[in-house]
Amino acid sequence: MNAYLHIPFCTSICSYCDFTSFAGQENKISRYVDALCVEITSSDLKGPLQTIYFGGGTPSLLPPEKLQTILEALRQKAGFSFDIEISMEANPETVDEQRLRSYRALGVNRLSFGAQAFQTEILKKMGRGHDWTIVEKAFNDARLAGFTNINLDLMFGLAGQSLSQFQESVQKVQELNPEHISLYALQVEEGTPLAKQVEEGLELPDEDQVADEYAWAQKSLTTQGYEQYEVSNFSKPGFACRHNWNIWRGEDYWGFGLSAVGTVGDVRHGHGDDLMVYINQASQGRKGLLEKEVLSQSVRAWERIMLQFRTQEGVLESELESYVRSQGGSSYKERFNRFEKEGFISLSQGRYRVTSKGYFVLNGILETLMV
Ligand code: SF4
């Protein structure tokens, strides 16, 4: 079983962010953790847990004793498998060696730092609270604290960043030699400060530059021994994020905390995004807290196909056939043959896989399956 826990606190809010997170509310962390633990304890969660993922927000704002309280609630409720993966997202400016040692001692064995870019002026424009010296320090502190599985997030398509500056960012990340690198395209989400800046004339790199950045990073990272195991994720062999893999394979996962989503069996559950409402309601228990939706078999099948196409495992041809047939769709074969000829997908051993070139047009490939 897998569990996702959302920690919705940040020291400041980045210009592009549309995650559920609050700045200047750290005085509520303690009450939030108490409420989260009541939610866990009053749930029907059954273990043992194989993976736990602390996302946010900035989970590394959790004092170690609060993290311990949450992990204890999970352990008592569900138990942990002997090889559990416990991942935590962290912002570089929020940690030091001492704090990281405490997290490690509590069982956190995978860290994910938001590095995003090398250039200080770009990071500033994004509203990030760090520069590269802080990234390097956090990374080295994590190594000293005993972490042997570290991810660094990078973004591309950033305003004001040239192709060569992006390449410099990738090289700087590679110099640190993390086990895992995630590469995300900047999205302009409605209602964010970035969306307003774009409306007011902020220029973003054009499509060609964005495509060149992605393609360059794919080549550079794979040459350096990273495998691209998903559209946005690269890892050294054996260091793929197990939590995300399990979800992409269609395994159940529980969501706990503000705005967290999970899927157990054919029921998707979700939470609202009002911090005080969550704290008050979750303190009474999980029942009545959740928004639930029963997923039909065909929705589950479509989601599984979409997620698996994002990964290097790809999708069984027979699964695809039966999905398209169940939807009364016409043959997709002709279009897929064309994609194959153009080098966007490959078919081998009964599985369709998107090629590294195809990842860039993944949405277009998936659209041809929609009937
Ligand atoms: S650190 Fe992450 S969650 Fe927090 S504001 Fe920035 S993008 Fe959003």
Side-chain angles (χ1 to χ4, degrees):
M1 184 51 72
N2 310 286
Y4 172 84
L5 291 98
H6 193 75
I7 308 298
F9 302 97
C10 285
T11 45
S12 58
I13 300 297
C14 305
S15 67
Y16 57 91
C17 179
D18 84 327
F19 299 114
T20 302
S21 192
F22 304 92
Q25 300 286 318
E26 290 89 322
N27 60 347
K28 301 204 173 71
I29 289 179
S30 191
R31 288 164 71 194
Y32 182 79
V33 168
D34 290 346
L36 192 59
C37 289
V38 176
E39 189 196 345
I40 293 165
T41 310
S42 60
S43 73
D44 299 324
L45 175 67
K46 302 242 170 0
L49 286 166
Q50 317 283 338
T51 73
I52 298 173
Y53 192 102
F54 288 92
T58 306
S60 53
L61 286 177
L62 283 176
E65 63 275 14
K66 294 296 169 196
L67 179 70
Q68 183 172 20
T69 308
I70 300 170
L71 287 172
E72 213 32 61
L74 286 166
R75 194 194 309 270
Q76 280 184 13
K77 183 72 195 176
F80 292 176
S81 89
F82 72 97
D83 61 347
I84 188 168
E85 175 191 89
I86 304 181
S87 292
M88 180 188 245
E89 292 178 356
N91 278 352
E93 71 277 19
T94 60
V95 295
D96 56 21
E97 187 188 335
Q98 177 70 33
R99 176 170 286 231
L100 291 169
R101 275 191 192 282
S102 306
Y103 289 159
R104 185 72 198 90
L106 290 169
V108 177
N109 50 20
R110 183 175 184 277
L111 276 180
S112 177
F113 285 117
Q116 318 307 7
F118 170 66
Q119 299 78 19
T120 307
E121 69 279 10
I122 307 265
L123 289 166
K124 251 197 205 142
K125 269 191 213 149
M126 297 166 77
R128 301 291 310 195
H130 65 266
D131 61 21
W132 197 257
T133 53
I134 296 176
V135 173
E136 280 178 335
K137 180 171 185 311
F139 188 88
N140 292 331
D141 282 348
R143 287 291 193 228
L144 291 172
F147 283 93
T148 53
N149 188 357
I150 305 178
N151 169 62
L152 293 178
D153 281 348
L154 262 189
M155 293 178 79
F156 62 106
L158 296 175
Q161 193 181 48
S162 64
L163 174 60
S164 62
Q165 285 178 313
F166 170 72
Q167 292 169 335
E168 190 181 23
S169 298
V170 174
Q171 279 157 351
K172 286 290 170 186
V173 163
Q174 285 173 356
E175 278 169 23
L176 291 175
N177 198 23
E179 286 68 32
H180 192 287
I181 297 172
S182 297
L183 199 60
Y184 297 111
L186 176 74
Q187 304 291 333
V188 182
E189 303 289 355
E190 220 178 291
T192 58
L194 177 66
K196 194 156 182 282
Q197 290 164 8
V198 170
E199 247 178 60
E200 289 166 359
L202 178 74
E203 276 193 37
L204 295 172
D206 61 27
E207 264 182 30
D208 285 347
Q209 183 182 326
V210 174
D212 287 348
E213 289 177 352
Y214 183 68
W216 188 89
Q218 278 179 315
K219 196 153 177 240
S220 172
L221 293 175
T222 45
T223 310
Q224 295 293 319
Y226 291 91
E227 291 170 351
Q228 181 170 18
Y229 69 99
E230 198 258 356
V231 183
S232 308
N233 288 289
F234 300 76
S235 76
K236 299 266 180 76
F239 287 96
C241 174
R242 278 171 47 209
H243 179 83
N244 288 339
W245 252 130
N246 290 349
I247 291 169
W248 294 327
R249 286 193 179 114
E251 283 190 16
D252 286 351
Y253 65 105
W254 289 70
F256 293 102
L258 198 66
S259 81
V261 173
T263 305
V264 180
D266 59 357
V267 179
R268 166 136 323 136
H269 58 260
H271 296 71
D273 58 8
D274 184 307
L275 180 60
M276 283 319 294
V277 168
Y278 174 81
I279 289 176
N280 290 331
Q281 287 188 351
S283 305
Q284 313 297 313
R286 187 164 155 106
K287 290 200 175 62
L289 183 67
L290 302 175
E291 296 146 16
K292 288 189 179 172
E293 181 194 356
V294 177
L295 304 174
S296 66
Q297 272 199 350
S298 89
V299 168
R300 280 288 262 171
W302 172 241
E303 286 186 350
R304 206 168 42 244
I305 286 170
M306 274 198 311
L307 292 174
Q308 289 181 348
F309 258 127
R310 294 177 63 90
T311 72
Q312 65 176 19
E313 273 188 0
V315 179
L316 271 175
E317 186 184 15
S318 54
E319 195 177 332
L320 203 56
E321 292 256 6
S322 90
Y323 172 76
V324 174
R325 219 175 310 117
S326 74
Q327 299 303 297
S330 57
S331 171
Y332 61 93
K333 272 280 190 193
E334 207 180 296
R335 284 159 290 173
F336 266 46
N337 287 342
R338 211 172 56 235
F339 286 138
E340 214 183 332
K341 272 197 199 111
E342 289 164 354
F344 294 127
I345 56 174
S346 67
L347 175 62
S348 66
Q349 294 165 334
R351 294 192 94 90
Y352 278 113
R353 293 181 178 84
V354 176
T355 62
S356 47
K357 177 178 160 191
Y359 276 140
F360 207 76
V361 292
L362 179 59
N363 288 343
I365 295 171
L366 290 172
E367 269 167 27
T368 67
L369 292 170
M370 291 170 118
V371 286

